[in-house]
Amino acid sequence: MPETTAIYIHGHHESVLRSHNWRTAQNSASYLLPCIQPNMHILDIGCGPGTITLDFATLVGPTGHITGIEPFPGDILTQARETATSRGITNVEFKTGDIFQLEELFKNRKFDIVHVHQVLQHIDRERVSEALMQMKAVTKPGGIVAVRETDFAATTWFPASAGMTEWMDTYQLVARANGGETDAGRRLVSWALGAGFARDKITTSAGTWCYSTPDEREWWSRMWADRTLSSNFKTTALKNGLVDEEKLNRIADTWTEWGKSEDGWFAILHGEIICRVD
């Protein structure tokens, strides 16, 4: 297979997988659940450790099948396979694959649903419609292309602070320098139209994550503090000359302080689309 074209700002550091392993079909793909039926074959692109993928597998039943792909071979797919084994789920496979090479990877296969969660925001923003065209090409007639992406500019929190604003500005700067689009959620319809989907075949919605209880604040703030200091985010930011160590430490400290706020509240908006394939 050709070298992957994907660039993932966070990588698969433990702090990143901490949040990925929290994701379920219920908290991250509820908009899609009414569309999933027994016997379906689903492709999950950017499956990571496979938590959403495996939930899909339980919904399609023993005669359905799920394929999860990641552009990066190695430990992340091994973890996904081990989790499937521990849960006794056998109607699933995990393999290496690139979103821009789906037609090549699945020459003789079509899926009822092709799904991505938090993927399009990380790829080259000039090629997102191309990626959606690849997804469409491996979807059966009458099938679904389903997408859920964050809209970072619509993220909100309390209490307000200069430090949290600095984190947001820095994150968007680093992500965009990496070629991605942090406000992907609001652009999904536009990208789908660019991929050739008719507007009357596109259903839109929005979903949220919210962190406010003491346990949620501790978990979310510690995760972001660790990401800031230890994940590929730090490596990329330093390499591109966008931050220095002092700034990263200041942002991590800001997250720690926010997590201690009894009245702390943090919410993330996601854009969601379901595109019907003719």
Side-chain angles (χ1 to χ4, degrees), residues 128-142:
V128 174
S129 289
E130 178 187 344
L132 285 166
M133 290 172 68
Q134 283 282 314
M135 294 171 66
K136 183 179 181 182
V138 296
T139 305
K140 295 177 181 177

Side-chain angles (χ1 to χ4, degrees), residues 39-52:
N39 308 320
M40 279 186 165
H41 286 227
I42 299 175
L43 174 62
D44 188 21
I45 302 168
C47 62
T51 52
I52 297 174

Side-chain angles (χ1 to χ4, degrees), residues 225-239:
D226 290 347
R227 276 196 191 196
T228 302
L229 297 179
S230 302
S231 76
N232 280 8
F233 173 83
K234 174 183 179 179
T235 305
T236 302
L238 290 173
K239 180 181 178 181

Side-chain angles (χ1 to χ4, degrees), residues 123-179:
I123 66 177
D124 184 343
R125 56 183 169 269
E126 301 300 325
R127 300 184 66 192
V128 174
S129 289
E130 178 187 344
L132 285 166
M133 290 172 68
Q134 283 282 314
M135 294 171 66
K136 183 179 181 182
V138 296
T139 305
K140 295 177 181 177
I144 289 171
V145 170
V147 185
R148 188 176 195 253
E149 297 288 335
T150 303
D151 195 303
F152 267 88
T155 298
T156 187
W157 59 82
F158 188 87
S161 73
M164 290 295 284
T165 299
E166 182 178 45
W167 161 75
M168 173 59 74
D169 291 345
T170 302
Y171 180 84
Q172 297 209 47
L173 180 65
V174 174
R176 289 200 165 106
N178 220 35

Side-chain angles (χ1 to χ4, degrees), residues 6-62:
I7 301 173
Y8 183 40
I9 186 174
H10 298 293
H12 290 127
H13 182 264
E14 182 278 329
S15 61
V16 180
L17 294 182
R18 204 182 308 162
S19 62
H20 289 186
N21 280 310
W22 167 83
R23 297 174 185 174
T24 65
Q26 187 61 50
N27 68 31
S28 299
S30 60
Y31 75 105
L32 181 60
L33 297 186
C35 300
I36 298 177
Q37 302 295 327
N39 308 320
M40 279 186 165
H41 286 227
I42 299 175
L43 174 62
D44 188 21
I45 302 168
C47 62
T51 52
I52 297 174
T53 322
L54 295 172
D55 283 350
F56 288 164
T58 65
L59 296 173
V60 300

